[in-house]
Amino acid sequence: MVHARILALPLIAALALPAAADDHDHDRGPRPEDLAPEFHDMELPESHVLPLKQAFRIVAKRFRGRLIAARIALPTPEESARGVVLVHQLRLLTPARDVLVIRLDAQSGAFLEVAGAGLAEARRREGER
C-alpha cells in the first residue's frame, strides 16, 4: 500500500501543475489559420453541424425507409451560391426497395435535393407515422 502512494505522488503533483499555454491550444482544436479556406466559415460561433441522428429524423418525418448510408459532403456550386457550407447526404432504402439520395443542409436541416425512383411512394402522407 505504501508503494502505491509513493508511485501516485508524482502523478498527483503533475495534475496539480498549471497547464502550459500550448496544452490549452491543443484542447481547443485547430486554429482558424490552420484550416483550409473552405472551412473558415465553420469557425463562426453561429456555425454548427446537425448530428447525423437529427438529420435522419428530419428525413424520416418526410420519407419512409431505412438509412443505408450517410456522409458529410461539400456543397455543389449551386448550393454554395445559396450559402450552404456542408451537406448531409443520406441514402434511404424505401419499402419498395428503391434507393433515395437525399441532400440536407448540414447546418439548418433544409432539404436541398431528393432523387431516386419511387419518390412519391416513399413520401409520408400528412399525419402518417
Side-chain angles (χ1 to χ4, degrees), residues 64-109:
R64 289 181 284 126
R66 184 169 54 101
L67 182 66
I68 58 172
R71 69 180 184 124
I72 294 285
L74 292 176
T76 63
E78 296 80 19
E79 292 165 344
S80 289
R82 293 172 39 194
V84 176
V85 178
L86 285 175
V87 174
H88 275 299
Q89 184 171 308
L90 298 95
R91 290 184 184 270
L92 200 68
L93 182 65
T94 71
R97 312 283 297 160
D98 293 316
V99 176
L100 301 181
V101 177
I102 303 168
R103 292 174 63 86
L104 297 179
D105 182 325
Q107 292 179 321
S108 70

Side-chain angles (χ1 to χ4, degrees), residues 41-44 46-50 54 58 83-88 104-110:
D41 291 341
M42 297 301 294
E43 288 297 311
L44 299 174
E46 66 274 359
S47 295
H48 68 284
V49 175
L50 293 174
Q54 189 172 352
I58 292 168
V84 176
V85 178
L86 285 175
V87 174
H88 275 299
L104 297 179
D105 182 325
Q107 292 179 321
S108 70

Side-chain angles (χ1 to χ4, degrees), residues 3-47:
H3 295 293
R5 287 185 189 159
I6 292 172
L7 294 174
L9 285 177
L11 178 62
I12 292 169
L15 293 174
L17 292 175
D22 290 343
D23 291 343
H24 289 292
D25 290 341
H26 177 70
D27 292 341
R28 287 188 208 144
R31 296 178 304 234
E33 60 269 14
D34 295 337
L35 298 173
E38 59 266 20
F39 292 106
H40 286 184
D41 291 341
M42 297 301 294
E43 288 297 311
L44 299 174
E46 66 274 359
S47 295

